[in-house]
Amino acid sequence: MKTASPRDAFPAPEHDHVACRDATLNRAREAFDARGLKLTDLRAQVFGEIAASHHAIGAYDIIDRLARQGTRIAPISVYRAIDVLLAAGVVHRLESRNAFFACHASHSADRQHVILACATCGIVAEVAASAIFDAIDTAARSARFEPQTRMVEVSGLCAHCRQTVASAP
Amino acid sequence: MKTASPRDAFPAPEHDHVACRDATLNRAREAFDARGLKLTDLRAQVFGEIAASHHAIGAYDIIDRLARQGTRIAPISVYRAIDVLLAAGVVHRLESRNAFFACHASHSADRQHVILACATCGIVAEVAASAIFDAIDTAARSARFEPQTRMVEVSGLCAHCRQTVASAP
DNA sequence: TAATTTGTGTGATAGTGTAACGATCGTTAC
DNA sequence: GTAACGATCGTTACACTATCACACAAATTA
Protein backbone atom coordinates (compact mmCIF):
# COMPACT_ATOMS: atom_id res chain seq x y z
CA MET A 1 0.00 0.00 0.00
CA LYS A 2 1.21 3.42 -0.95
CA THR A 3 2.15 5.72 1.89
CA ALA A 4 1.85 9.44 1.33
CA SER A 5 5.12 11.31 1.22
CA PRO A 6 5.46 14.54 3.21
CA ARG A 7 5.06 16.45 -0.02
CA ASP A 8 1.62 14.95 -0.33
CA ALA A 9 0.47 16.10 3.07
CA PHE A 10 -1.52 18.82 1.35
CA PRO A 11 -3.95 17.70 -1.35
CA ALA A 12 -3.49 19.03 -4.83
CA PRO A 13 -6.15 21.70 -5.41
CA GLU A 14 -7.54 19.72 -8.32
CA HIS A 15 -7.49 16.30 -6.67
CA ASP A 16 -10.48 13.99 -6.90
CA HIS A 17 -12.05 14.73 -3.57
CA VAL A 18 -15.01 12.44 -4.07
CA ALA A 19 -12.70 9.45 -4.23
CA CYS A 20 -10.57 10.97 -1.49
CA ARG A 21 -13.58 11.29 0.77
CA ASP A 22 -14.82 7.81 0.02
CA ALA A 23 -11.45 6.36 0.90
CA THR A 24 -11.46 8.35 4.10
CA LEU A 25 -14.91 7.05 4.97
CA ASN A 26 -13.76 3.50 4.40
CA ARG A 27 -10.79 4.00 6.67
CA ALA A 28 -13.17 5.38 9.27
CA ARG A 29 -15.30 2.26 9.06
CA GLU A 30 -12.22 0.13 9.55
CA ALA A 31 -11.08 2.21 12.47
CA PHE A 32 -14.46 1.85 14.14
CA ASP A 33 -14.45 -1.90 13.60
CA ALA A 34 -10.93 -2.23 14.90
CA ARG A 35 -11.90 -0.51 18.13
CA GLY A 36 -15.25 -2.19 18.57
CA LEU A 37 -17.06 1.12 18.11
CA LYS A 38 -20.23 1.59 16.17
CA LEU A 39 -20.35 3.96 13.24
CA THR A 40 -24.02 4.85 13.52
CA ASP A 41 -25.93 6.88 10.96
CA LEU A 42 -25.58 10.03 12.99
CA ARG A 43 -21.85 9.57 13.45
CA ALA A 44 -21.39 8.79 9.78
CA GLN A 45 -23.30 11.92 8.83
CA VAL A 46 -21.20 14.07 11.12
CA PHE A 47 -18.04 12.48 9.86
CA GLY A 48 -19.21 13.00 6.30
CA GLU A 49 -19.45 16.73 6.87
CA ILE A 50 -16.05 16.92 8.51
CA ALA A 51 -14.47 14.84 5.76
CA ALA A 52 -16.21 16.84 3.06
CA SER A 53 -13.18 19.07 2.83
CA HIS A 54 -9.63 19.32 4.02
CA HIS A 55 -10.57 22.26 6.21
CA ALA A 56 -11.20 22.35 9.92
CA ILE A 57 -14.89 22.89 10.60
CA GLY A 58 -16.68 24.11 13.69
CA ALA A 59 -19.36 22.05 15.43
CA TYR A 60 -22.04 24.58 14.59
CA ASP A 61 -21.03 24.59 10.94
CA ILE A 62 -21.69 20.88 10.95
CA ILE A 63 -25.11 21.51 12.46
CA ASP A 64 -25.89 24.12 9.81
CA ARG A 65 -24.81 21.93 6.94
CA LEU A 66 -26.76 18.94 8.15
CA ALA A 67 -29.78 21.17 8.69
CA ARG A 68 -29.59 22.30 5.06
CA GLN A 69 -29.76 18.64 4.14
CA GLY A 70 -32.85 18.14 6.26
CA THR A 71 -31.23 16.67 9.37
CA ARG A 72 -31.58 19.06 12.26
CA ILE A 73 -29.67 17.98 15.35
CA ALA A 74 -28.84 19.58 18.66
CA PRO A 75 -25.35 20.77 19.58
CA ILE A 76 -24.98 18.07 22.19
CA SER A 77 -25.61 15.42 19.56
CA VAL A 78 -22.85 16.74 17.33
CA TYR A 79 -20.46 16.90 20.23
CA ARG A 80 -21.30 13.36 21.26
CA ALA A 81 -20.67 12.18 17.72
CA ILE A 82 -17.42 14.14 17.57
CA ASP A 83 -16.27 12.60 20.83
CA VAL A 84 -16.55 9.14 19.37
CA LEU A 85 -14.91 10.18 16.12
CA LEU A 86 -12.02 11.62 18.11
CA ALA A 87 -11.77 8.42 20.14
CA ALA A 88 -11.67 6.40 16.94
CA GLY A 89 -8.87 8.63 15.72
CA VAL A 90 -10.60 9.49 12.46
CA VAL A 91 -10.92 13.19 13.23
CA HIS A 92 -8.65 15.50 15.16
CA ARG A 93 -9.22 18.73 16.93
CA LEU A 94 -7.51 21.92 15.82
CA GLU A 95 -7.08 23.48 19.24
CA SER A 96 -6.04 26.86 17.96
CA ARG A 97 -9.37 27.25 16.18
CA ASN A 98 -11.75 25.13 18.23
CA ALA A 99 -12.53 23.16 15.13
CA PHE A 100 -12.29 19.62 13.81
CA PHE A 101 -10.78 18.06 10.73
CA ALA A 102 -10.75 14.58 9.23
CA CYS A 103 -7.72 12.40 9.12
CA HIS A 104 -7.34 12.03 5.36
CA ALA A 105 -4.28 9.82 5.48
CA SER A 106 -4.06 6.34 6.84
CA HIS A 107 -1.47 6.85 9.49
CA SER A 108 -1.28 4.99 12.72
CA ALA A 109 -3.53 6.67 15.22
CA ASP A 110 -0.78 7.25 17.77
CA ARG A 111 -1.29 10.94 17.18
CA GLN A 112 2.35 11.85 16.77
CA HIS A 113 1.79 14.31 13.99
CA VAL A 114 2.52 17.95 13.50
CA ILE A 115 -0.58 19.78 12.34
CA LEU A 116 -0.18 22.35 9.59
CA ALA A 117 -2.99 24.84 9.01
CA CYS A 118 -2.83 27.25 6.09
CA ALA A 119 -3.72 30.74 7.25
CA THR A 120 -4.98 31.67 3.80
CA CYS A 121 -7.03 28.78 2.45
CA GLY A 122 -7.68 27.07 5.78
CA ILE A 123 -6.62 23.62 4.64
CA VAL A 124 -5.21 21.41 7.37
CA ALA A 125 -2.64 18.67 6.94
CA GLU A 126 -0.53 16.47 9.15
CA VAL A 127 3.06 15.35 8.90
CA ALA A 128 4.56 12.54 10.93
CA ALA A 129 7.56 13.60 12.95
CA SER A 130 8.22 11.33 15.86
CA ALA A 131 11.67 12.84 16.41
CA ILE A 132 10.00 16.12 17.24
CA PHE A 133 7.78 14.51 19.82
CA ASP A 134 10.74 12.70 21.31
CA ALA A 135 12.53 16.03 21.61
CA ILE A 136 9.45 17.56 23.22
CA ASP A 137 9.36 14.77 25.78
CA THR A 138 13.03 15.29 26.51
CA ALA A 139 12.55 19.02 26.95
CA ALA A 140 9.59 18.42 29.24
CA ARG A 141 11.48 15.92 31.38
CA SER A 142 14.38 18.35 31.70
CA ALA A 143 11.88 20.44 33.66
CA ARG A 144 10.98 17.34 35.66
CA PHE A 145 7.63 17.27 33.87
CA GLU A 146 6.10 13.98 32.80
CA PRO A 147 4.39 14.51 29.44
CA GLN A 148 1.09 12.84 28.66
CA THR A 149 -0.40 14.53 25.61
CA ARG A 150 1.45 16.75 23.15
CA MET A 151 0.07 19.14 20.63
CA VAL A 152 1.97 20.83 17.85
CA GLU A 153 0.11 23.19 15.55
CA VAL A 154 1.70 25.37 12.92
CA SER A 155 0.02 28.20 11.09
CA GLY A 156 1.51 29.38 7.82
CA LEU A 157 1.17 29.18 4.07
CA CYS A 158 0.65 26.02 2.05
CA ALA A 159 2.48 25.63 -1.25
CA HIS A 160 -0.54 26.55 -3.31
CA CYS A 161 -1.29 29.75 -1.42
CA ARG A 162 2.36 30.73 -1.39
CA GLN A 163 2.37 30.65 -5.17
CA THR A 164 -0.80 32.64 -5.32
CA VAL A 165 0.58 35.26 -2.96
CA ALA A 166 3.87 35.39 -4.85
CA SER A 167 2.14 36.02 -8.18
CA ALA A 168 -0.21 38.65 -6.76
CA PRO A 169 0.34 42.34 -7.68
CA MET B 1 20.98 38.58 36.40
CA LYS B 2 20.15 34.99 37.24
CA THR B 3 18.57 32.99 34.47
CA ALA B 4 16.24 30.18 35.42
CA SER B 5 17.40 26.70 34.57
CA PRO B 6 14.98 24.25 32.98
CA ARG B 7 14.57 22.61 36.36
CA ASP B 8 13.20 25.91 37.61
CA ALA B 9 10.54 26.17 34.94
CA PHE B 10 7.98 25.23 37.55
CA PRO B 11 7.89 27.34 40.69
CA ALA B 12 8.53 25.64 44.00
CA PRO B 13 5.16 25.24 45.76
CA GLU B 14 6.44 27.31 48.67
CA HIS B 15 8.08 30.05 46.65
CA ASP B 16 7.54 33.70 47.54
CA HIS B 17 4.87 34.53 45.03
CA VAL B 18 4.43 38.10 46.17
CA ALA B 19 8.00 38.88 45.18
CA CYS B 20 7.61 36.68 42.11
CA ARG B 21 4.56 38.60 41.04
CA ASP B 22 6.16 41.98 41.67
CA ALA B 23 9.15 41.03 39.55
CA THR B 24 6.81 39.89 36.82
CA LEU B 25 4.94 43.19 36.97
CA ASN B 26 8.20 45.08 36.65
CA ARG B 27 9.20 43.08 33.64
CA ALA B 28 5.82 43.85 32.15
CA ARG B 29 6.38 47.56 32.63
CA GLU B 30 9.73 47.28 30.90
CA ALA B 31 8.25 45.28 28.05
CA PHE B 32 5.56 47.91 27.52
CA ASP B 33 8.12 50.69 27.55
CA ALA B 34 10.39 48.85 25.14
CA ARG B 35 7.54 48.52 22.66
CA GLY B 36 6.11 51.98 23.10
CA LEU B 37 2.91 50.56 24.54
CA LYS B 38 1.03 52.03 27.44
CA LEU B 39 0.40 49.96 30.53
CA THR B 40 -2.81 51.65 31.57
CA ASP B 41 -4.63 51.05 34.83
CA LEU B 42 -7.05 48.65 33.24
CA ARG B 43 -4.30 46.67 31.54
CA ALA B 44 -2.29 46.56 34.74
CA GLN B 45 -5.31 45.29 36.64
CA VAL B 46 -5.96 42.56 34.11
CA PHE B 47 -2.31 41.62 34.08
CA GLY B 48 -2.30 41.58 37.86
CA GLU B 49 -5.03 38.94 37.89
CA ILE B 50 -3.30 36.82 35.29
CA ALA B 51 0.03 37.09 37.10
CA ALA B 52 -1.57 36.37 40.46
CA SER B 53 -0.78 32.70 39.99
CA HIS B 54 1.13 30.37 37.73
CA HIS B 55 -2.11 28.99 36.38
CA ALA B 56 -3.81 29.76 33.14
CA ILE B 57 -6.95 31.79 33.75
CA GLY B 58 -9.98 32.33 31.58
CA ALA B 59 -11.11 35.78 30.49
CA TYR B 60 -14.33 35.47 32.45
CA ASP B 61 -12.46 34.45 35.58
CA ILE B 62 -10.57 37.70 35.29
CA ILE B 63 -13.87 39.54 35.04
CA ASP B 64 -15.21 37.78 38.13
CA ARG B 65 -12.13 38.45 40.20
CA LEU B 66 -11.98 42.09 39.26
CA ALA B 67 -15.69 42.38 40.00
CA ARG B 68 -15.10 41.00 43.50
CA GLN B 69 -12.60 43.81 43.94
CA GLY B 70 -15.13 46.39 42.84
CA THR B 71 -14.09 46.80 39.22
CA ARG B 72 -16.79 45.52 36.95
CA ILE B 73 -15.79 45.45 33.31
CA ALA B 74 -17.29 44.04 30.14
CA PRO B 75 -15.88 41.02 28.32
CA ILE B 76 -14.76 43.15 25.43
CA SER B 77 -12.65 45.27 27.75
CA VAL B 78 -10.82 42.27 29.15
CA TYR B 79 -10.18 40.97 25.69
CA ARG B 80 -8.85 44.31 24.54
CA ALA B 81 -6.51 44.41 27.50
CA ILE B 82 -5.44 40.83 26.88
CA ASP B 83 -4.72 41.62 23.23
CA VAL B 84 -2.25 44.29 24.24
CA LEU B 85 -0.71 42.07 26.91
CA LEU B 86 -0.25 39.36 24.31
CA ALA B 87 1.30 41.84 21.89
CA ALA B 88 3.69 42.96 24.60
CA GLY B 89 4.62 39.34 25.14
CA VAL B 90 3.94 39.44 28.87
CA VAL B 91 1.11 36.92 28.73
CA HIS B 92 0.57 33.93 26.49
CA ARG B 93 -2.48 32.04 25.44
CA LEU B 94 -2.95 28.40 26.34
CA GLU B 95 -4.79 27.33 23.21
CA SER B 96 -5.78 23.95 24.50
CA ARG B 97 -7.75 25.57 27.32
CA ASN B 98 -8.77 28.93 25.93
CA ALA B 99 -6.98 30.60 28.80
CA PHE B 100 -4.12 32.96 29.49
CA PHE B 101 -1.06 32.85 31.68
CA ALA B 102 1.65 35.29 32.62
CA CYS B 103 5.19 34.99 31.45
CA HIS B 104 6.92 34.61 34.81
CA ALA B 105 10.42 34.33 33.41
CA SER B 106 12.34 37.02 31.61
CA HIS B 107 12.95 35.28 28.36
CA SER B 108 13.21 36.96 25.02
CA ALA B 109 9.74 37.37 23.65
CA ASP B 110 10.42 35.46 20.45
CA ARG B 111 7.88 32.92 21.65
CA GLN B 112 9.99 29.86 20.97
CA HIS B 113 8.97 28.00 24.07
CA VAL B 114 7.32 24.73 24.75
CA ILE B 115 4.39 25.18 27.09
CA LEU B 116 3.93 22.65 29.86
CA ALA B 117 0.58 22.51 31.65
CA CYS B 118 0.12 20.24 34.64
CA ALA B 119 -3.11 18.28 34.30
CA THR B 120 -3.44 18.00 38.06
CA CYS B 121 -2.56 21.35 39.62
CA GLY B 122 -3.01 23.44 36.48
CA ILE B 123 0.29 25.24 36.77
CA VAL B 124 1.78 26.34 33.47
CA ALA B 125 5.46 26.72 32.68
CA GLU B 126 7.60 27.30 29.65
CA VAL B 127 10.87 25.81 28.56
CA ALA B 128 13.05 27.21 25.81
CA ALA B 129 13.79 24.71 23.06
CA SER B 130 14.74 26.38 19.82
CA ALA B 131 15.96 23.09 18.37
CA ILE B 132 12.42 21.78 18.55
CA PHE B 133 11.06 24.74 16.68
CA ASP B 134 13.78 24.41 14.07
CA ALA B 135 12.78 20.78 13.62
CA ILE B 136 9.13 21.80 13.32
CA ASP B 137 10.00 24.30 10.62
CA THR B 138 11.98 21.65 8.77
CA ALA B 139 9.10 19.19 8.98
CA ALA B 140 6.68 21.84 7.76
CA ARG B 141 8.88 22.80 4.83
CA SER B 142 9.22 19.15 3.85
CA ALA B 143 5.50 19.41 3.11
CA ARG B 144 6.20 22.62 1.18
CA PHE B 145 4.52 24.58 3.94
CA GLU B 146 5.93 27.90 5.05
CA PRO B 147 5.51 28.15 8.82
CA GLN B 148 4.57 31.43 10.45
CA THR B 149 3.49 30.71 14.02
CA ARG B 150 4.12 27.52 15.96
CA MET B 151 2.56 26.31 19.16
CA VAL B 152 3.67 23.42 21.26
CA GLU B 153 1.61 22.56 24.30
CA VAL B 154 2.17 19.56 26.52
CA SER B 155 -0.19 18.28 29.16
CA GLY B 156 1.18 16.03 31.90
CA LEU B 157 2.33 15.96 35.47
CA CYS B 158 4.65 18.43 37.12
CA ALA B 159 7.29 17.17 39.53
CA HIS B 160 5.29 18.18 42.57
CA CYS B 161 2.09 16.47 41.50
CA ARG B 162 3.97 13.38 40.38
CA GLN B 163 5.32 12.99 43.89
CA THR B 164 1.88 13.50 45.35
CA VAL B 165 0.38 10.89 43.07
CA ALA B 166 3.21 8.46 43.77
CA SER B 167 2.74 8.73 47.51
CA ALA B 168 -1.05 8.44 47.36
CA PRO B 169 -2.74 5.17 48.50
C1' DT C 1 -37.97 -11.99 29.16
C1' DA C 2 -35.69 -8.95 32.29
C1' DA C 3 -31.84 -6.16 33.24
C1' DT C 4 -28.38 -3.27 31.58
C1' DT C 5 -25.89 -0.59 28.54
C1' DT C 6 -25.62 2.45 24.65
C1' DG C 7 -27.32 5.94 21.59
C1' DT C 8 -30.22 9.79 20.79
C1' DG C 9 -33.67 13.69 21.70
C1' DT C 10 -35.11 17.95 24.26
C1' DG C 11 -34.52 22.03 26.83
C1' DA C 12 -31.78 24.79 29.42
C1' DT C 13 -27.57 26.93 30.50
C1' DA C 14 -22.56 27.87 30.97
C1' DG C 15 -18.43 29.59 28.82
C1' DT C 16 -15.82 32.07 25.05
C1' DG C 17 -15.33 35.85 21.91
C1' DT C 18 -16.74 40.04 18.68
C1' DA C 19 -19.35 43.83 16.30
C1' DA C 20 -21.02 48.38 16.30
C1' DC C 21 -21.24 52.67 18.14
C1' DG C 22 -20.23 56.50 21.15
C1' DA C 23 -17.75 59.22 24.84
C1' DT C 24 -13.47 60.85 26.70
C1' DC C 25 -8.88 62.42 26.64
C1' DG C 26 -4.29 63.61 25.06
C1' DT C 27 -1.52 65.01 21.06
C1' DT C 28 -0.43 67.48 17.01
C1' DA C 29 -1.19 70.96 13.34
C1' DC C 30 -2.81 75.13 11.96
C1' DG D 1 -6.99 78.36 21.03
C1' DT D 2 -9.24 75.04 18.41
C1' DA D 3 -9.79 71.70 15.07
C1' DA D 4 -8.59 67.23 13.72
C1' DC D 5 -6.90 62.93 14.88
C1' DG D 6 -5.92 58.70 17.22
C1' DA D 7 -6.01 55.79 21.24
C1' DT D 8 -8.56 54.12 25.18
C1' DC D 9 -12.52 52.58 27.25
C1' DG D 10 -17.73 52.05 28.02
C1' DT D 11 -22.27 50.04 26.59
C1' DT D 12 -25.23 47.03 24.28
C1' DA D 13 -26.04 43.37 21.81
C1' DC D 14 -24.91 39.23 19.69
C1' DA D 15 -22.39 34.98 17.76
C1' DC D 16 -19.96 30.98 18.65
C1' DT D 17 -18.41 26.95 21.60
C1' DA D 18 -19.63 23.42 24.90
C1' DT D 19 -22.06 20.91 28.57
C1' DC D 20 -25.78 19.45 32.09
C1' DA D 21 -29.95 17.06 33.36
C1' DC D 22 -33.40 14.27 32.14
C1' DA D 23 -36.19 11.14 29.22
C1' DC D 24 -36.76 7.50 26.09
C1' DA D 25 -35.87 3.94 22.71
C1' DA D 26 -32.91 0.50 20.71
C1' DA D 27 -29.41 -2.87 21.23
C1' DT D 28 -26.82 -6.21 24.29
C1' DT D 29 -26.38 -9.25 27.81
C1' DA D 30 -27.94 -12.24 31.39
Side-chain angles (χ1 to χ4, degrees):
Chain A
M1 181 176 163
K2 182 171 176 293
T3 301
S5 84
R7 292 178 69 90
D8 297 333
F10 281 86
E14 70 285 2
H15 82 295
D16 178 0
H17 189 66
V18 174
C20 172
R21 170 180 168 162
D22 285 350
T24 299
L25 243 158
N26 281 331
R27 278 197 308 277
R29 268 189 269 273
E30 288 167 18
F32 268 75
D33 281 352
R35 286 172 178 76
L37 297 169
K38 269 175 291 187
L39 186 55
T40 63
D41 283 355
L42 180 66
R43 292 167 185 176
Q45 274 189 291
V46 169
F47 182 66
E49 289 308 319
I50 297 176
S53 78
H54 290 260
H55 295 73
I57 181 178
Y60 282 72
D61 276 337
I62 297 172
I63 293 175
D64 290 345
R65 291 177 195 211
L66 289 180
R68 262 179 249 131
Q69 296 168 30
T71 312
R72 184 160 287 287
I73 57 180
I76 186 71
S77 293
V78 190
Y79 281 104
R80 287 195 281 226
I82 289 171
D83 283 345
V84 181
L85 295 168
L86 288 170
V90 298
V91 313
H92 302 312
R93 182 187 170 86
L94 187 61
E95 300 286 350
S96 52
R97 295 197 204 161
N98 298 326
F100 308 89
F101 63 96
C103 203
H104 280 282
S106 65
H107 56 236
S108 51
D110 316 3
R111 186 77 162 97
Q112 297 290 284
H113 288 76
V114 170
I115 297 172
L116 308 175
C118 180
T120 300
C121 68
I123 286 185
V124 177
E126 300 173 76
V127 293
S130 46
I132 291 175
F133 290 89
D134 290 345
I136 289 171
D137 285 3
T138 301
R141 296 204 174 98
S142 77
R144 294 185 297 167
F145 183 89
E146 185 55 32
Q148 286 169 346
T149 68
R150 306 130 193 99
M151 165 201 132
V152 180
E153 293 181 9
V154 183
S155 176
L157 282 183
C158 71
H160 183 250
C161 289
R162 217 172 2 150
Q163 286 174 359
T164 309
V165 169
S167 62
Chain B
M1 181 178 169
K2 182 171 175 296
T3 301
S5 84
R7 289 178 71 89
D8 298 332
F10 281 86
E14 70 284 3
H15 82 296
D16 178 0
H17 189 68
V18 174
C20 172
R21 170 180 168 160
D22 286 350
T24 299
L25 242 159
N26 281 331
R27 277 198 308 277
R29 268 190 269 274
E30 289 167 17
F32 267 76
D33 280 353
R35 286 172 177 76
L37 297 170
K38 270 176 287 191
L39 186 56
T40 64
D41 284 354
L42 181 67
R43 292 167 185 177
Q45 274 189 292
V46 170
F47 183 66
E49 291 307 320
I50 297 176
S53 77
H54 290 260
H55 295 73
I57 181 178
Y60 282 72
D61 277 337
I62 297 172
I63 294 175
D64 291 346
R65 291 178 194 210
L66 288 180
R68 263 179 247 130
Q69 298 169 27
T71 313
R72 186 161 285 288
I73 56 180
I76 185 72
S77 293
V78 192
Y79 281 105
R80 286 195 282 228
I82 289 172
D83 282 346
V84 181
L85 295 168
L86 289 170
V90 298
V91 312
H92 302 310
R93 183 186 170 85
L94 187 60
E95 300 286 349
S96 51
R97 294 196 203 163
N98 297 326
F100 307 90
F101 62 96
C103 203
H104 280 282
S106 65
H107 55 235
S108 51
D110 317 3
R111 187 74 163 100
Q112 298 290 281
H113 289 77
V114 169
I115 298 172
L116 308 175
C118 180
T120 300
C121 68
I123 286 186
V124 177
E126 300 173 77
V127 294
S130 46
I132 290 175
F133 290 88
D134 289 346
I136 290 171
D137 285 2
T138 301
R141 295 203 175 99
S142 77
R144 294 185 298 167
F145 183 88
E146 185 56 32
Q148 287 168 346
T149 67
R150 307 129 192 100
M151 66 191 51
V152 179
E153 294 180 11
V154 183
S155 176
L157 282 183
C158 72
H160 183 251
C161 289
R162 218 169 5 147
Q163 285 173 1
T164 309
V165 169
S167 62

